[in-house]
Amino acid sequence: MLLFLQRPSVCFSLQGILNDTTVGIFRNCEELRLRRASIRFCPVSAEAFRLALCPHRLQELDASWVSGGLTGADIVSGLASNLECRSSLQRLSLNGLHLDWESLMEDGGTHVGFSSLQGLRTLSLANTDLTDAVLEDVCSLPQLESLDISCTVVSKLTALLDCKSTLKSLIAHRLRQLDMSPTGLFFVFSQLHALRHLDFSDDHITSDDSDGRDGDETVRQLLEGIPQVLPTLVSLDISGRKRITEAAVRAFVEARAGLVFMGLLATGASSSDVLTSQKNLKVTGEANENQVCEALRRYRDRECFTREALIHLYNLITDIDTPRPDMLKLVLGGMQSHPTSLHVHLVATACVFNLTTRDLAEAMPISLLSSTVNQLLYAMKTFPNHQQVQKNCLLALCSDYILQDVPFDKYLAAMLVINWLSRHEDPILQRMAVAVISILVAKLSTEETAQLSEDVSIMKQLLAIVQQKAMVGVVDSTLKFALSALWNLTDEMPTAARNFIECKGMELYEEVLESYYGEPSIEQKVLGLLNNIAEVEVLQDDLFEENLLEHILGLLQDSQVEVGVRYFAGGILAQLASRPEAWTLSAELLTAILKQLHASIMTWTQLEREMVSYRSFHPFYPLLQTGQPSGVQLWAVWAIHLVCSQNASHYSSMLEKEGVTELLKALAAHPDTHGDIKGLSDSILRMLEQHGGDTGPQNS
């Protein structure tokens, strides 16, 4: 709701919170003197409206689409009860309301109707149950200049002759019940001598060839008529009308030098060169980009024309290679105006993909992209069973830039994509869906990840994809994304890790490790998830499997294996070896692990690319104790040194806040600490001193 006080500089914006209770603050019209009010779509009852708004000397009121049982009759009778308002009110919009005109009663012997509001200049009654009788009452208004009777059930327009000397704008879109001959209609229009804007467009999609035939003939007569008919007309909208010829359009435009707008969308007559030769003339049509964009701007509230314009826009931007934020804004506006229209969203989502694909998104304003992505999520939620809409949204979402840098509800997006994945097996779309999930899971907060990890079905879906790929031994992006998603989903999430085990994930991952030996991109992700399990003490028993640990130890020792793989192999072994009291396998294996940890880590070269990031360093606490074996300590210190050397500003405050800095100092100062560990600890502490106080967001 927008409420404006007497002083134009003061404005209350109460969008989404106006109701019978909150509107009561305006009952005191001495303290708050309202002049303009908009209660569009607000749940306001007749009683609340009468008590809160009617006592004010209103000049403008927009009560379109109000819920709460408020009718047009309630509004008119309430406003008419205020004698000052009868003369002060100049603009009134009641679009989408039930007028309930029969309920109006005599007020002190005087008939109450629109004619009671003698100051009215602009009246909008689109999408109401306006009748011929009420229209007669409306047209008796002495100062009426602008009238919108679109999508009503009026059958005669003869009443317009009563305001022919004042009416400057008439919007009569889609009058489906109109019952007048072309001659009668033409006569009425020809008598409106003051008319400057005429909208006599029609909904071409829902009408058959016989509907609107008389109106089409009337339009033809207007176009071919002499300039003395409607001499002051500067704007004519006949979009959706049939049997319109380019020759008639040309004759009309050439005869009227002052014309500033012509609505020709879905007429097939917008290609005439005369339309482009007039510099001041704006046109809606399908002949070129300007006409299509103008249609999206002007017809935002008309579903039939929005859909038509989007179809033509899609054809224009199929191979677009230039960023067009102006077009994306128009597409977004159409989606927002018609949130439940499948027809609009089917085309609009395809347009969004074309306008943001490749690197085009990076040139768009972040706020525009954010709003667009949220609208895509709304479309996915609203049309869950429409495969093409879901596919279009998924295609648009599958962008590194959008997923990484654009703010939107990533938890909702992850849930929607996961739900979609559970119902579809198309390989190409499956790859995209898994990629999106993989990135989104890494972007969630700890609380959101925990909430997501409680759903066992998500784990089952991702494991099923891994198994499907592993059975044929394929190495592709779908497998990699699925492994990454599982890795991120179990990061410091004991519940997710337990779900992984209960869903037979351990057995599957052992097979994957063996069958994908020598594939570092796969091994690293598998070992990364096993690291997450090793960090949870109560789940470590599931890792005490001799063949598995010997395989992991073999990866650690092999100098031919990439450092990234050896790093995660070492992490698993360091966690398990840090609790000798819980060790259930042979002592010889434990001794070998501790020996090889230290020896292997000292051969690792520093990695330049960022390989891993941490939500926190809590899992490192037990590894950094002074009583731990040197191999365990060395892996933890090397890991911290790795991430700090790559992004010290990101981790310095985390290490300080979580007490890791003190553990490193204790290690460096302890007489029994190995020299290799002391050297790395001192190096980390020096880095932290240089970046002291720097903070950064936490992401997995």
Side-chain angles (χ1 to χ4, degrees), residues 291-337:
Q291 290 184 5
V292 173
C293 289
E294 187 67 27
L296 285 171
R297 273 189 290 270
R298 288 191 182 250
Y299 301 139
R300 179 169 171 170
D301 294 330
R302 295 181 182 174
E303 179 184 352
C304 60
F305 292 160
T306 297
R307 173 190 177 189
E308 180 78 12
L310 285 171
I311 291 172
H312 292 292
L313 180 68
Y314 176 79
N315 293 329
L316 287 171
I317 61 175
T318 302
D319 299 314
I320 193 169
D321 56 4
T322 305
R324 293 296 302 267
D326 57 326
M327 285 185 176
L328 184 60
K329 187 175 181 180
L330 291 173
V331 174
L332 174 61
M335 297 170 76
Q336 291 173 333
S337 294

Side-chain angles (χ1 to χ4, degrees), residues 414-482:
M415 290 300 299
L416 289 170
V417 177
I418 287 168
N419 290 337
W420 182 92
L421 184 62
S422 67
R423 302 191 303 271
H424 299 85
E425 296 182 358
D426 181 285
I428 297 175
L429 297 181
Q430 184 187 70
R431 176 183 61 80
M432 290 190 295
V434 175
V436 171
I437 293 169
S438 173
I439 296 174
L440 288 176
V441 170
K443 290 290 185 180
L444 300 181
S445 67
T446 303
E447 295 76 14
E448 289 172 333
T449 306
Q451 190 174 349
L452 199 66
S453 67
E454 293 176 359
D455 190 345
V456 180
S457 66
I458 297 173
M459 190 70 65
K460 289 180 178 178
Q461 286 180 54
L462 293 172
L463 285 172
I465 292 172
V466 173
Q467 186 172 35
Q468 177 189 23
K469 298 295 180 180
M471 285 177 65
V472 293
V474 68
V475 178
D476 63 9
S477 56
T478 302
L479 175 61
K480 294 176 184 179
F481 284 131

Side-chain angles (χ1 to χ4, degrees), residues 171-475:
I171 304 176
H173 167 71
R174 196 186 174 195
L175 297 184
R176 197 48 47 84
Q177 302 297 320
L178 194 60
D179 184 21
M180 293 183 70
S181 67
T183 304
L185 270 174
F186 181 78
F187 174 76
V188 171
F189 287 151
S190 67
Q191 298 302 303
L192 305 180
H193 303 303
L195 202 64
R196 296 177 59 80
H197 170 65
L198 173 61
D199 181 346
F200 197 50
S201 56
D202 195 22
D203 181 353
H204 73 292
I205 295 175
T206 60
S207 60
D208 58 38
D209 288 339
S210 60
D211 286 341
R213 186 181 296 273
D214 290 341
D216 295 342
E217 175 59 24
T218 303
V219 168
R220 187 194 65 77
Q221 293 181 18
L222 277 176
L223 293 176
E224 298 176 357
I226 58 175
Q228 285 72 26
V229 176
L230 300 178
T232 60
L233 199 70
V234 296
S235 169
L236 176 64
D237 196 338
I238 53 174
S239 290
R241 288 292 174 185
K242 301 169 183 175
R243 293 173 283 278
I244 305 300
T245 65
E246 288 191 9
V249 170
R250 172 185 290 276
F252 184 81
V253 172
E254 289 178 342
R256 297 172 184 272
L259 204 62
V260 297
F261 173 69
M262 194 81 176
L264 295 169
L265 182 67
T267 62
S270 63
S271 300
S272 176
D273 56 357
V274 72
L275 298 173
T276 56
S277 65
Q278 307 290 325
K279 292 183 179 180
N280 297 325
L281 180 62
K282 292 187 180 299
V283 180
T284 60
E286 56 271 358
N288 54 52
E289 175 189 307
N290 289 337
Q291 290 184 5
V292 173
C293 289
E294 187 67 27
L296 285 171
R297 273 189 290 270
R298 288 191 182 250
Y299 301 139
R300 179 169 171 170
D301 294 330
R302 295 181 182 174
E303 179 184 352
C304 60
F305 292 160
T306 297
R307 173 190 177 189
E308 180 78 12
L310 285 171
I311 291 172
H312 292 292
L313 180 68
Y314 176 79
N315 293 329
L316 287 171
I317 61 175
T318 302
D319 299 314
I320 193 169
D321 56 4
T322 305
R324 293 296 302 267
D326 57 326
M327 285 185 176
L328 184 60
K329 187 175 181 180
L330 291 173
V331 174
L332 174 61
M335 297 170 76
Q336 291 173 333
S337 294
H338 306 283
T340 61
S341 170
L342 172 60
H343 297 303
V344 167
H345 280 77
L346 181 59
V347 188
T349 52
C351 289
V352 169
F353 170 68
N354 281 347
L355 290 168
T356 58
T357 190
R358 299 182 298 278
D359 57 350
L360 295 177
E362 297 180 30
M364 301 288 184
I366 287 289
S367 59
L368 176 60
L369 280 177
S370 179
S371 298
T372 302
V373 173
N374 282 322
Q375 192 64 36
L376 291 176
L377 299 183
Y378 181 88
M380 293 185 74
K381 188 165 57 173
T382 306
F383 310 106
N385 299 316
H386 197 283
Q387 186 168 347
Q388 191 60 51
V389 170
Q390 297 287 319
K391 180 179 178 179
N392 293 346
C393 293
L394 195 58
L395 283 166
L397 282 176
C398 199
S399 156
D400 278 344
Y401 177 74
I402 288 176
L403 293 173
Q404 299 283 2
D405 298 330
V406 176
F408 59 92
D409 190 340
K410 292 180 171 61
Y411 178 78
L412 173 61
M415 290 300 299
L416 289 170
V417 177
I418 287 168
N419 290 337
W420 182 92
L421 184 62
S422 67
R423 302 191 303 271
H424 299 85
E425 296 182 358
D426 181 285
I428 297 175
L429 297 181
Q430 184 187 70
R431 176 183 61 80
M432 290 190 295
V434 175
V436 171
I437 293 169
S438 173
I439 296 174
L440 288 176
V441 170
K443 290 290 185 180
L444 300 181
S445 67
T446 303
E447 295 76 14
E448 289 172 333
T449 306
Q451 190 174 349
L452 199 66
S453 67
E454 293 176 359
D455 190 345
V456 180
S457 66
I458 297 173
M459 190 70 65
K460 289 180 178 178
Q461 286 180 54
L462 293 172
L463 285 172
I465 292 172
V466 173
Q467 186 172 35
Q468 177 189 23
K469 298 295 180 180
M471 285 177 65
V472 293
V474 68
V475 178

Side-chain angles (χ1 to χ4, degrees), residues 388-654:
Q388 191 60 51
V389 170
Q390 297 287 319
K391 180 179 178 179
N392 293 346
C393 293
L394 195 58
L395 283 166
L397 282 176
C398 199
S399 156
D400 278 344
Y401 177 74
I402 288 176
L403 293 173
Q404 299 283 2
D405 298 330
V406 176
F408 59 92
D409 190 340
K410 292 180 171 61
Y411 178 78
L412 173 61
M415 290 300 299
L416 289 170
V417 177
I418 287 168
N419 290 337
W420 182 92
L421 184 62
S422 67
R423 302 191 303 271
H424 299 85
E425 296 182 358
D426 181 285
I428 297 175
L429 297 181
Q430 184 187 70
R431 176 183 61 80
M432 290 190 295
V434 175
V436 171
I437 293 169
S438 173
I439 296 174
L440 288 176
V441 170
K443 290 290 185 180
L444 300 181
S445 67
T446 303
E447 295 76 14
E448 289 172 333
T449 306
Q451 190 174 349
L452 199 66
S453 67
E454 293 176 359
D455 190 345
V456 180
S457 66
I458 297 173
M459 190 70 65
K460 289 180 178 178
Q461 286 180 54
L462 293 172
L463 285 172
I465 292 172
V466 173
Q467 186 172 35
Q468 177 189 23
K469 298 295 180 180
M471 285 177 65
V472 293
V474 68
V475 178
D476 63 9
S477 56
T478 302
L479 175 61
K480 294 176 184 179
F481 284 131
L483 292 172
S484 295
L486 287 163
W487 183 4
N488 287 323
L489 198 60
T490 54
D491 182 28
E492 291 196 42
M493 293 294 148
T495 302
R498 184 178 296 279
N499 288 342
F500 173 84
I501 294 170
E502 292 177 352
C503 293
K504 307 298 181 182
M506 283 298 303
E507 293 86 340
L508 175 61
Y509 268 43
E510 287 183 46
E511 294 176 7
V512 171
L513 267 182
E514 291 185 11
S515 57
Y516 285 89
Y517 183 81
E519 289 286 350
S521 62
I522 304 300
E523 292 173 314
Q524 186 170 310
K525 293 173 173 60
V526 170
L527 294 171
L529 184 144
L530 297 182
N531 257 275
N532 292 340
I533 295 176
E535 291 171 358
V536 185
E537 287 188 3
V538 296
L539 300 179
Q540 287 179 350
D541 282 348
D542 291 279
L543 292 169
F544 285 126
E545 203 278 309
E546 193 159 348
N547 290 336
L548 173 63
L549 294 191
E550 286 180 350
H551 184 93
I552 294 174
L553 179 59
L555 293 172
L556 174 70
Q557 295 176 150
D558 192 344
S559 60
Q560 301 302 312
V561 173
E562 287 189 5
V563 173
V565 175
R566 300 172 75 190
Y567 171 85
F568 289 109
I572 297 167
L573 298 174
Q575 288 288 352
L576 298 179
S578 69
R579 297 177 64 229
E581 72 280 1
W583 186 264
T584 61
L585 302 177
S586 68
E588 292 80 5
L589 181 58
L590 177 58
T591 302
I593 287 172
L594 292 173
K595 179 181 177 181
Q596 287 301 322
L597 267 173
H598 197 124
S600 297
I601 293 170
M602 292 309 299
T603 67
W604 294 353
T605 55
Q606 186 68 31
L607 298 173
E608 294 183 2
R609 65 180 180 84
E610 191 170 0
M611 178 184 67
V612 64
S613 61
Y614 290 100
R615 294 181 191 270
S616 77
F617 289 104
H618 291 125
F620 286 66
Y621 287 2
L623 311 185
L624 293 170
Q625 301 304 313
T626 55
Q628 288 286 6
S630 65
V632 172
Q633 294 172 336
L634 184 60
W635 183 87
V637 174
W638 198 93
I640 295 172
H641 187 274
L642 170 68
V643 294
C644 285
S645 63
Q646 293 173 337
N647 197 350
S649 61
H650 181 81
Y651 290 107
S652 59
S653 62
M654 189 196 308

